[in-house]
Amino acid sequence: MAKGKLQYKYLNAGDKSTAVVLDASIDTCNEQTIYLYHQQRGEIVEFRRDIVEPKLRELSGDEVGMKKELEKGYKEARSGFKPRGEGALNISSQSQPVEATVKQPEELELETVDDFDDDFDD
């Protein structure tokens, strides 16, 4: 599957059958799922690969004319869509590693049992 290339397919799913758009450049961060633009719903939906891929087929002759409409709907849905995990890898070079920001036990000032007893002396 070529990255960045839109694929126009038809999802055979009974009453929920519809034309879909697959954009391989959008990652779900899960190898077991894919995102598809679902024309009936007008949104990008995450599907389990093992369920949806066998139900996808190429657009037939009369359905090919739907590509412009599909592309327009996809672009509209994509403009407001944030894939899961987007931005998670945008780590600033200024960031400190977690262990550098967490105090180690020897750095902490812990109250001892003796200090605790002093609070209750009359």
Side-chain angles (χ1 to χ4, degrees), residues 32-79:
Q32 297 177 358
T33 63
I34 60 172
Y35 286 125
L36 295 175
Y37 167 72
H38 191 281
Q39 185 183 35
Q40 281 185 355
R41 292 172 65 175
E43 62 186 358
I44 298 171
V45 182
E46 186 173 5
F47 291 92
R48 281 187 32 196
R49 283 183 186 273
D50 61 337
I51 294 172
V52 79
E53 284 182 341
K55 297 179 181 190
L56 291 175
R57 64 166 172 78
E58 297 298 320
L59 295 177
S60 65
D62 56 333
E63 295 165 342
V64 172
M66 300 169 47
K67 282 187 179 181
K68 287 189 184 209
E69 184 181 334
L70 274 169
E71 186 174 3
K72 181 182 176 188
Y74 168 74
K75 286 181 179 180
E76 188 175 308
R78 180 69 175 104
S79 68

Side-chain angles (χ1 to χ4, degrees), residues 81-109:
F81 179 73
K82 270 194 122 149
R84 178 186 357 182
E86 185 176 274
L89 298 179
N90 295 335
I91 300 171
S92 167
S93 60
Q94 306 293 327
S95 298
Q96 294 181 349
V98 172
E99 55 273 359
T101 61
V102 176
K103 290 188 176 186
Q104 298 302 314
E106 58 273 3
E107 299 174 30
L108 298 174
E109 294 180 29

